[in-house]
Amino acid sequence: MQLDPSTGWFQGVSHCPSPNFNARPDGEISLLVVHNISLPPGQFGTGKVQAFFQNRLPLHEHPFFAEIASLQVSAHFFIERDGALTQFVSCLDRAWHAGVSCFDGRDNCNDFSLGVELEGTDDQPYTDAQYARLAELSRQLLDAYPALSAQRIRGHSDIAPGRKTDPGPAFDWPRLHAELKER
């Protein structure tokens, strides 16, 4: 996989363009936010995350889908349990992943962040393949965007405390940081 800096799209990964994005106000990319998602909750490999980020979730298939039907959200990336990576929004654009958020005294983290969704839940361990892919992705993003640093890779819970809990206690932050140091 390789980032094309002129388009903000990675080559060698799946693309599933989402309509849920807009232009970055300043073009700044200085934060990487790690999330988790599974649809239906706690179920993996369903393809429903992709449908959700494209506003095509089949509402009749699960009661939870009706609860989230009005939401228009996306992330830049989604890493499945087997490490498969899908990109939904160009890195150059503003994906709608962080919601009401604040980091380092700045509100509206979507304006200056990239969002990575891990297929998972707060309390189930993430897979080796997910950590490997997240580290690989993070290294390329750190190389491409100088305002990013390992210290500016945070969880959704860090930028929306009290409102969000992901990626949760199951996420092994020391492991990610160790893998990033193995450059």
Side-chain angles (χ1 to χ4, degrees), residues 69-178:
S70 65
L71 301 178
Q72 292 186 325
V73 298
S74 63
H76 293 89
F77 306 101
F78 176 54
I79 301 175
E80 295 179 64
R81 304 297 284 180
D82 64 0
L85 177 64
T86 300
Q87 185 171 6
F88 295 92
V89 175
S90 164
C91 293
L92 303 179
D93 289 317
R94 181 183 181 273
W96 302 342
H97 63 95
V100 176
S101 53
C102 181
F103 179 73
D104 204 19
R106 294 176 63 192
D107 293 331
N108 302 314
C109 293
N110 284 338
D111 291 351
F112 55 93
S113 68
L114 297 170
V116 180
E117 294 275 3
L118 300 176
E119 186 174 37
T121 66
D122 286 6
D123 56 2
Q124 292 185 47
Y126 297 91
T127 67
D128 292 341
Q130 286 179 299
Y131 284 107
R133 182 63 81 164
L134 179 58
E136 178 186 15
L137 174 64
S138 297
R139 282 191 290 272
Q140 285 204 37
L141 294 171
L142 289 167
D143 288 344
Y145 302 107
L148 276 178
S149 67
Q151 296 74 32
R152 293 182 70 86
I153 301 174
R154 298 299 175 99
H156 199 186
S157 58
D158 296 320
I159 65 167
R163 189 176 70 81
K164 294 295 181 176
T165 58
D166 56 315
F171 188 77
D172 188 345
W173 286 103
R175 178 178 179 172
L176 175 62
H177 288 288

Side-chain angles (χ1 to χ4, degrees), residues 10-52:
F10 274 83
Q11 303 307 311
V13 305
S14 295
H15 293 172
C16 188
S18 172
N20 303 326
F21 73 94
N22 58 344
R24 288 189 186 278
D26 300 328
E28 175 188 347
I29 298 171
S30 61
L31 179 65
L32 181 62
V33 180
V34 179
H35 304 261
N36 73 38
I37 190 170
S38 56
L39 291 174
Q43 295 182 29
F44 307 136
T46 65
K48 300 306 184 237
V49 172
Q50 294 87 334
F52 181 48

